[in-house]
Amino acid sequence: MNKTKNSCFGALVVWWLLLSTPMFSAAETSGQPLDVRILIDISGSMVENDPNNLRIPALNLLIDLLPDDTRAGVWTFGRYVNMLVPYGSVNDQWRTNARRQASKINSLGQRTALGSVLEKSAFDFTISGNGVHPQFILLSDGMADISPELAANIRERNRILNQVLPRFRRQQAPIHTIALSAQADLPLLRQLSMQTQGLSEQVNNADDLMSVFLRIFDTAVPSEQVPIKANAFTIDSHVNEMTVLVFREALAKPIKLISPDGEVFATDSDTRLVTWKSTDKYDLVTIKNPAEGAWVIDGRVQADSRVTVVSDVMLVLENLPVVMFPGQDNRLEAFLNSREGDVNDDEFLQMMNINLTASPDQPGQNLIVAQMVLNGDRFSVPLDHFLNQPGNYTLEVALDGQTFQRRISRTISVQAHISAETTVEGNHYRIRIYANNPAIDVGRSTVTATVKNATVQQSLEFNWNVSGYWQADVGPYADTVTLEPKLDIYLQGALADGITIAPQQLNFPIGSTQPMTMDAEVMVQPEPSPQPNLPPAKFAIETVAEIPKEQALQRQEQRAKEMPATKDNWMNEPSGSDKDSLGIGTMLLWSLPGILVIGGFAVAYVFINRRRAEMNTARDAMEQEIQQLDEAAEARRLENEEQDEAVAVEEEAPVDADELEEPDGPLIDGLLSDDEDFGSLEDLDHFRDDDGKLSEDEEDVFDLGDLSDLSDELEDDKEDSKAP
């Protein structure tokens, strides 16, 4: 397909722009290939959270979009870890096998081995790092669940944060997490992402999986696009290849593409120039050397559709972190790059117009639009002026240069400087406050709190733990208390204002219905003095497992119903030296039902084991009897075979030729043979009389009517001889 080069823009820049491949990421510019590893949860809970198994089409989309020569693999995990798609270089053969293997994804796993899948997919990590910086995409709807025992799961969760996660930080390998349920261990998944500079997404509906996968894919595998406006897009003379991804409504027909010269491309177009993949959800079309000009998409274009290009001209973004913190100085820069280096021709750059659009994921927040300002050969905009509230934002940088257009889409996560977690530890609470921002000066920062209710007011000091958090224990108390933390957080030597944690109510006494883990509400305001970014902190985090939120809410409701009765029992207790203690008699009465229940379980356990042993004994006896019967039948069968062989040997015993008597006439052995030689008629002359006639006696001997009777008799004799 020939290109036309009649645009004034093309004439202005064609002399410099001959680069053949785009700059997808920092890894490519340093000579390292892209490396993407996808980890998919197949635990049994996915039956409820992904009943239609939409993980398969979402994974297939990523498989189709991975560029050639990318290093990639897919792991699934439940109780065990399986390398579903072998790790290797992406090509057509790899994609074919990956799609075939993806169809095997199910929801049959009994556990959730989060730690194991992270370790096994990081098989090539070294202690000091080996220059490989893979991007991990982790999808799960659960928590670290390797055992029915809660204590074992808590140890595994701590092992992930204290031993596994530091390896990823050293390797500079981002973990992008997708929580496919509100019941997932959100604090754990957020820590995995935050500490490795990855994205953390939550999906409450599996129907949104494909869209979220695509957003994370744009971060893990950056690409350059051209914008779609009113079902049309413009291709300039420097584009070597374009890939059109169009999402469409269910049951809608595949799209068609109309080139600038009116040529129509459809699913049956020439495969030498066009690669077309059509599913029930999208069309993915790749065209090499596309014609320059305006292209039209014939069909209804849904959200998330895009046109990705491989171009000699590249729009490059700098200082765009995946994770940033409110109030920190972060100026996004954009520039154009060619084989000759950065484009610095002022006349050419003045033709460019670059706008930034930030779409917050949180409802109720406004769309942010800003124009990037040209300064020298760079366009820039201060992100910290717009992105100052925690949450995920979809950023779109759009360049419009008349006939030259480019678009880059990224997702950025704005995180709070700190986060808090409350866990139940026996008869008291343990409060941990994590330092998320590596710019926090933990040596000067302090965390204190006031614990109070109608009868209690106590000061509490949090101690810094080298694992990366401040920690304090609260309780036990006789009644519910309110915890009011006070934070003095220093960023780069300056006290930051507005970083607070909302007061938290802690219910005492702690019952079995109390949730194990609760996230405290963190309220953060921008600091008055922006602070520069620092590299990620090198510390581990220790924490405990989280109870599913729905179960926690049910427990809280149940606890609320039980509280009045509990208080009445406490009020009726006799006074003593320890007013917070129960009487011995009351304790025995309260423990009696539990003892009876435990005893009942013990009796049932003994009965079941005894019954199981009896059934096993009966089964073994039955199997032994069946085996004996089989052996007897086999013996009888062998005996019969030996008798048959003896009879056959007796029938076939050889006869000495001398014992055979010469027959007087023709020998008929059984049935007559077609080729039997009975001699000529001349042999019958000795039976004739003087007149040449056969005598009556001899005629009777050779009466042909008697031959059939003779044959029947011989046949009967033969059958009788075969009978045993």
Side-chain angles (χ1 to χ4, degrees), residues 69 126 170 214 269 287 321 334 375 436 487 607 661 697 713:
D69 300 325
T126 62
R170 286 195 300 267
L214 196 59
S269 296
I287 301 179
N375 183 13
N436 299 329
L487 283 71
F607 174 78
E661 296 181 1
D697 293 338
E713 291 176 3

Side-chain angles (χ1 to χ4, degrees), residues 660-716:
L660 294 176
E661 296 181 1
E662 186 71 23
D664 295 335
L667 177 62
I668 301 177
D669 184 13
L671 297 177
L672 295 176
S673 175
D674 293 339
D675 57 354
E676 188 72 31
D677 184 10
F678 291 99
S680 64
L681 293 177
E682 296 175 355
D683 297 333
L684 300 178
D685 289 343
H686 65 280
F687 291 113
R688 299 179 188 276
D689 56 18
D690 296 336
D691 296 332
K693 296 181 181 180
L694 295 172
S695 64
E696 291 181 2
D697 293 338
E698 279 72 15
E699 285 177 349
D700 290 339
V701 172
F702 291 93
D703 187 356
L704 296 175
D706 294 335
L707 286 176
S708 65
D709 296 336
L710 177 62
S711 177
D712 293 338
E713 291 176 3
L714 292 173
E715 186 70 18
D716 293 337

Side-chain angles (χ1 to χ4, degrees), residues 3-7 9-11 13-14 17 224-227 233-242 260 289-295 309-314 399 401-407:
K3 296 182 181 179
T4 61
K5 299 186 177 181
N6 53 5
S7 73
F9 170 78
V13 296
V14 70
L17 306 171
E224 198 174 25
Q225 305 169 16
V226 296
F233 58 91
T234 300
I235 295 296
D236 57 80
S237 61
H238 310 289
V239 173
N240 302 317
E241 179 181 291
M242 72 177 187
N289 300 321
E292 177 187 355
W295 286 70
V309 296
V310 175
S311 172
D312 294 336
V313 183
M314 296 176 296
L399 181 151
Q402 298 178 5
T403 58
F404 177 79
Q405 298 179 350
R406 292 291 184 270
R407 173 184 180 270

Side-chain angles (χ1 to χ4, degrees), residues 24 44 63 87 98 155 186 296 312 448 516 533 544 631 681 701:
F24 283 109
I63 292 170
Y87 177 77
R155 288 193 299 270
L186 298 179
V296 176
D312 294 336
T448 58
M516 288 295 299
N533 281 328
V544 296
E631 293 175 353
L681 293 177
V701 172

Side-chain angles (χ1 to χ4, degrees), residues 10-239:
L12 182 63
V13 296
V14 70
W15 59 276
W16 314 276
L17 306 171
L18 299 174
L19 193 66
S20 59
T21 55
M23 185 186 304
F24 283 109
S25 68
E28 283 190 320
T29 60
S30 62
Q32 292 290 338
L34 291 171
D35 192 319
V36 180
R37 308 180 190 187
I38 305 170
L39 320 179
I40 305 293
D41 189 342
I42 59 169
S43 60
S45 56
M46 282 291 185
V47 173
E48 178 181 351
N49 295 317
D50 185 18
N52 298 321
N53 216 353
L54 297 179
R55 287 161 291 172
I56 294 177
L59 176 58
N60 281 333
L61 176 61
L62 299 192
I63 292 170
D64 291 336
L65 291 177
L66 282 171
D68 285 342
D69 300 325
T70 301
R71 303 289 294 176
V74 180
W75 287 258
T76 56
F77 62 99
R79 180 191 295 269
Y80 307 105
V81 177
N82 175 43
M83 184 187 287
L84 183 69
V85 180
Y87 177 77
S89 183
V90 174
N91 51 33
D92 290 340
Q93 182 180 359
W94 186 93
R95 292 189 186 92
T96 299
N97 179 60
R99 295 188 197 100
R100 181 172 58 251
Q101 293 297 106
S103 64
K104 300 179 182 179
I105 290 178
N106 53 51
S107 303
L108 302 179
Q110 298 301 311
R111 296 290 174 187
T112 309
L114 278 174
S116 294
V117 73
L118 288 170
E119 287 178 313
K120 292 186 177 181
S121 59
F123 59 90
D124 54 348
F125 284 13
T126 62
I127 296 178
S128 59
N130 56 5
V132 177
H133 308 294
Q135 304 268 343
F136 290 78
I137 301 177
L138 170 64
L139 169 66
S140 179
D141 70 340
M143 59 187 66
D145 178 20
I146 62 171
S147 168
E149 297 182 2
L150 178 60
N153 293 331
I154 292 176
R155 288 193 299 270
E156 174 65 7
R157 190 178 192 268
N158 290 333
R159 188 185 73 86
I160 293 172
L161 291 169
N162 296 330
Q163 300 178 22
V164 178
L165 182 57
R167 295 181 57 201
F168 284 78
R169 288 204 307 267
R170 286 195 300 267
Q171 201 74 27
Q172 299 180 25
I175 304 175
H176 309 286
T177 61
I178 304 174
L180 186 56
S181 169
Q183 299 180 8
D185 191 343
L186 298 179
L188 173 61
L189 296 180
R190 283 197 296 263
Q191 288 294 330
L192 292 177
S193 296
M194 189 181 308
Q195 294 197 37
T196 60
Q197 296 294 294
L199 286 177
S200 180
E201 298 272 4
Q202 180 180 344
V203 181
N204 295 323
N205 189 337
D207 293 335
D208 299 329
L209 258 184
M210 190 170 290
S211 178
V212 172
F213 262 51
L214 196 59
R215 289 174 56 179
I216 289 184
F217 183 84
D218 284 339
T219 299
V221 187
S223 61
E224 198 174 25
Q225 305 169 16
V226 296
I228 301 175
K229 299 179 181 179
N231 277 35
F233 58 91
T234 300
I235 295 296
D236 57 80
S237 61
H238 310 289
V239 173

Side-chain angles (χ1 to χ4, degrees), residues 329-565:
D329 185 16
N330 197 309
R331 180 171 292 273
L332 173 65
E333 293 187 345
F335 61 95
L336 292 172
N337 182 270
S338 72
R339 176 181 297 176
E340 305 297 329
D342 296 349
V343 177
N344 54 18
D345 184 272
D346 186 66
E347 181 180 357
F348 167 68
L349 295 175
Q350 290 294 337
M351 298 172 58
M352 303 295 105
N353 184 35
I354 302 181
N355 290 324
L356 168 71
T357 303
S359 304
D361 289 353
Q362 295 74 23
Q365 295 189 21
N366 297 326
L367 184 71
I368 301 169
V369 179
Q371 184 173 6
M372 301 186 71
V373 178
L374 177 63
N375 183 13
D377 61 354
R378 303 288 176 109
F379 296 82
S380 64
V381 63
L383 289 180
D384 52 288
H385 289 188
F386 311 103
L387 308 180
N388 50 29
Q389 293 298 322
N392 287 352
Y393 296 81
T394 300
L395 300 186
E396 179 180 313
V397 178
L399 181 151
D400 187 356
Q402 298 178 5
T403 58
F404 177 79
Q405 298 179 350
R406 292 291 184 270
R407 173 184 180 270
I408 293 180
S409 178
R410 299 284 189 277
T411 299
I412 186 171
S413 179
V414 180
Q415 297 288 346
H417 295 283
I418 60 171
S419 59
E421 186 179 69
T422 301
T423 61
V424 173
E425 301 285 341
N427 63 351
H428 64 275
Y429 293 93
R430 177 160 293 168
I431 315 296
R432 288 175 177 155
I433 299 177
Y434 296 96
N436 299 329
N437 188 349
I440 292 177
D441 186 349
V442 297
R444 298 185 62 186
S445 301
T446 59
V447 178
T448 58
T450 301
V451 180
K452 62 182 181 180
N453 60 14
T455 59
V456 174
Q457 182 163 344
Q458 179 182 354
S459 296
L460 190 66
E461 183 176 353
F462 285 72
N463 297 317
W464 173 253
N465 189 298
V466 293
S467 296
Y469 53 79
W470 290 275
Q471 177 177 298
D473 292 340
V474 180
Y477 292 99
D479 206 347
T480 298
V481 299
T482 299
L483 177 73
E484 297 180 351
K486 182 180 183 300
L487 283 71
D488 291 328
I489 303 299
Y490 283 80
L491 289 170
Q492 289 293 295
L495 181 63
D497 295 332
I499 300 180
T500 62
I501 297 179
Q504 185 178 8
Q505 180 175 294
L506 303 176
N507 294 325
F508 286 98
I510 298 174
S512 60
T513 60
Q514 197 71 26
M516 288 295 299
T517 305
M518 296 175 290
D519 283 334
E521 180 182 357
V522 180
M523 298 186 298
V524 181
Q525 300 295 332
E527 292 82 359
S529 301
Q531 303 296 330
N533 281 328
L534 291 182
K538 306 293 184 183
F539 53 76
I541 288 184
E542 180 184 1
T543 184
V544 296
E546 183 188 42
I547 293 297
K549 290 187 177 181
E550 293 182 359
Q551 184 178 353
L553 293 175
Q554 293 176 358
R555 291 182 175 184
Q556 287 179 343
E557 293 177 358
Q558 182 178 356
R559 177 64 182 168
K561 295 178 181 179
E562 296 173 353
M563 283 298 292

